[in-house]
Amino acid sequence: MSSRGSRDARTRFAQLSAGAVLVVIALEYGLTSASAAASALDAPTLASARAWEFERHTAVPQSEGDGARVRRCVGGSFRDYLNPLLLFDHFQVRPPAAFPPHPHRGQCLVTYMLTGGFEHRDSRGNVGTVLTGGVQFMNAARGIVHSETPAVAGMSNDGIQLWINLAAERKRDAPVYGKYVSKQFPELALGDGIHVRLVLGTLYAEGELHTSPLESVLAEAGFKHVSFFDVSLDRGRAFDFRVPVESHALAYVLRGSVTTLKPQEGTLSGEVDSFGARAEAHDCLFFDSSPEWKSQHPTVPCSMEPENDHNAGEVPSCRTITFANPEAEAARILLFTAAPLDEPMLRYGPFVYTHKLELGQWIREYQLG
């Protein structure tokens, strides 16, 4: 950003060695001890996705930034990485709390506002504010410094932030910023009591293909098969989430309760009589693309769009995860999946890199501006 905060952030680190900068970043992000941070240049850690079919974790509030609170599904001690998802935070920020200037490199950030608003400023001069239902997109690529502050006084400004890993060949691209208002996102009623907001990705419904306004910028950043849906379900209703067979998936319960069903037990608009394992508000559900999961679930085309000349031979195979609401209260869940990257991922705080020697080089480049 062009504000003084960006210059101050860089000035703080200008006289430090690369190792010392790592210590500062580590302590600010609560990543590890200072002694472990100082050794990061010599022994970075390769994050690996553990193989499981399904696992549940409750995201509890924790402090982040300057007085903010977050519930973290991915990027913490329980689940470090869900390839290519580096971080999934449900944040709650009431002024004067904020996220002061800090750097990012090697990943894309997607911020989806649930209530209130957020103001973004960055070292490339971009300034933008999004309100409820809007999205900010920032491809940090080869490096950027930004700040995020709540835009609505007197209330908690709540939202979801995703960090998505970039392929190695895209980490040297120029940074990109964009903002999108609520009315740009498709909102679909899939039968009585099933509502889907299409934040990222595409969905064929109501006889046509619906597309997120971010589809082109995601493609330009090299991402494939990305879906991020905001789904509301009335009692007894179910939604089929289609996940490419090689991809992992995450579900986060914002409100109410949901259960997961075998594919044949639920449909997009049908009543559901039998329920499976339950998840409550703030539970994170992880679905791994393990060989066992692939063998136990039948495949379907990822798109329900009828085959025609423009998509013939291009529709990948998917597994279906069905979510249903067994309670009287409406349930609201967020669903994410994306094609994984077949390459190493190493990170330290907001720096995400592919090879061991890159981190020291990136710190030096950051010090030089």
Side-chain angles (χ1 to χ4, degrees):
M1 74 186 161
S2 57
S3 70
R4 177 182 175 185
S6 172
R7 294 191 297 272
D8 289 348
R10 186 171 287 112
T11 300
R12 284 175 59 210
F13 294 150
Q15 304 302 318
L16 299 178
S17 68
V21 171
L22 286 175
V23 173
V24 174
I25 292 173
L27 295 178
E28 288 194 350
Y29 279 78
L31 295 167
T32 186
S33 66
S35 60
S39 65
L41 281 174
D42 296 323
T45 301
L46 174 64
S48 60
R50 289 169 289 174
W52 54 51
E53 177 183 346
F54 163 85
E55 191 155 351
R56 178 175 57 216
H57 167 66
T58 301
V60 298
Q62 64 184 66
S63 297
E64 190 73 18
D66 184 5
R69 302 287 283 174
V70 304
R71 295 177 183 269
R72 180 160 296 163
C73 284
V74 177
S77 57
F78 180 80
R79 187 73 190 241
D80 181 58
Y81 186 39
L82 188 72
N83 189 2
L85 189 62
L86 297 154
L87 181 132
F88 184 107
D89 271 358
H90 177 191
F91 60 82
Q92 298 174 304
V93 189
R94 180 182 292 272
F99 296 100
H102 56 281
H104 285 276
R105 186 161 183 168
Q107 80 259 185
C108 283
L109 282 71
V110 176
T111 305
Y112 176 43
M113 292 306 304
L114 301 174
T115 58
F118 247 34
E119 180 186 77
H120 163 103
R121 294 177 178 268
D122 68 46
S123 53
R124 294 176 64 86
N126 298 305
V127 179
T129 299
V130 292
L131 302 176
T132 301
V135 169
Q136 292 190 128
F137 174 85
M138 187 180 80
N139 183 348
R142 63 179 179 236
I144 197 168
V145 177
H146 80 142
S147 65
E148 297 159 303
T149 56
V152 181
M155 64 176 291
S156 180
N157 295 252
D158 299 358
I160 302 294
Q161 187 163 98
L162 314 176
W163 296 7
I164 310 174
N165 190 21
L166 284 167
E169 62 186 17
R170 310 311 295 263
K171 293 185 189 296
R172 285 285 180 180
D173 290 351
V176 174
Y177 170 77
K179 63 176 182 178
Y180 304 83
V181 300
S182 178
K183 65 181 180 182
Q184 293 179 263
F185 296 89
E187 299 201 31
L188 310 175
L190 306 181
D192 183 31
I194 305 171
H195 297 87
V196 179
R197 198 155 195 271
L198 192 56
V199 184
L200 302 177
T202 62
L203 182 64
Y204 185 83
E206 302 172 329
E208 63 179 296
L209 185 66
H210 301 271
T211 303
S212 162
L214 282 83
E215 193 69 4
S216 61
V217 295
L218 290 173
E220 290 170 4
F223 296 116
K224 297 180 180 179
H225 309 314
V226 179
S227 295
F228 183 36
F229 299 163
D230 184 346
V231 180
S232 296
L233 298 172
D234 289 347
R235 176 177 172 80
R237 294 306 188 187
F239 176 73
D240 292 340
F241 186 42
R242 299 193 175 195
V243 180
V245 292
E246 300 302 327
S247 298
H248 311 299
L250 168 68
Y252 178 66
V253 184
L254 273 175
R255 182 181 65 243
S257 303
V258 297
T259 58
T260 58
L261 308 177
K262 295 180 180 179
Q264 62 268 26
E265 290 178 321
T267 65
L268 287 171
S269 59
E271 292 285 351
V272 178
D273 296 322
S274 58
F275 297 100
R278 177 188 294 265
E280 308 289 346
H282 309 307
D283 279 350
C284 316
L285 307 176
F286 303 95
F287 300 87
D288 187 79
S289 181
S290 66
E292 293 80 11
W293 191 60
K294 294 177 187 178
S295 65
Q296 294 171 9
H297 295 75
T299 62
V300 295
C302 287
S303 174
M304 291 175 286
E305 182 180 11
E307 185 173 307
N308 52 46
D309 290 341
H310 86 270
N311 69 6
E314 297 179 359
V315 179
S317 294
C318 273
R319 311 291 168 174
T320 301
I321 306 171
T322 301
F323 297 91
N325 176 17
E327 300 295 339
E329 178 189 7
R332 187 178 180 188
I333 55 175
L334 301 176
L335 306 174
F336 176 88
T337 188
L341 297 174
D342 186 18
E343 60 187 41
M345 188 287 289
L346 303 101
R347 71 170 161 190
Y348 214 87
F351 298 125
V352 185
Y353 51 108
T354 307
H355 303 291
K356 181 177 178 179
L357 297 178
E358 287 178 322
L359 182 57
Q361 176 186 343
W362 287 11
I363 292 293
R364 288 189 291 272
E365 291 176 359
Y366 177 68
Q367 291 170 319
L368 294 173

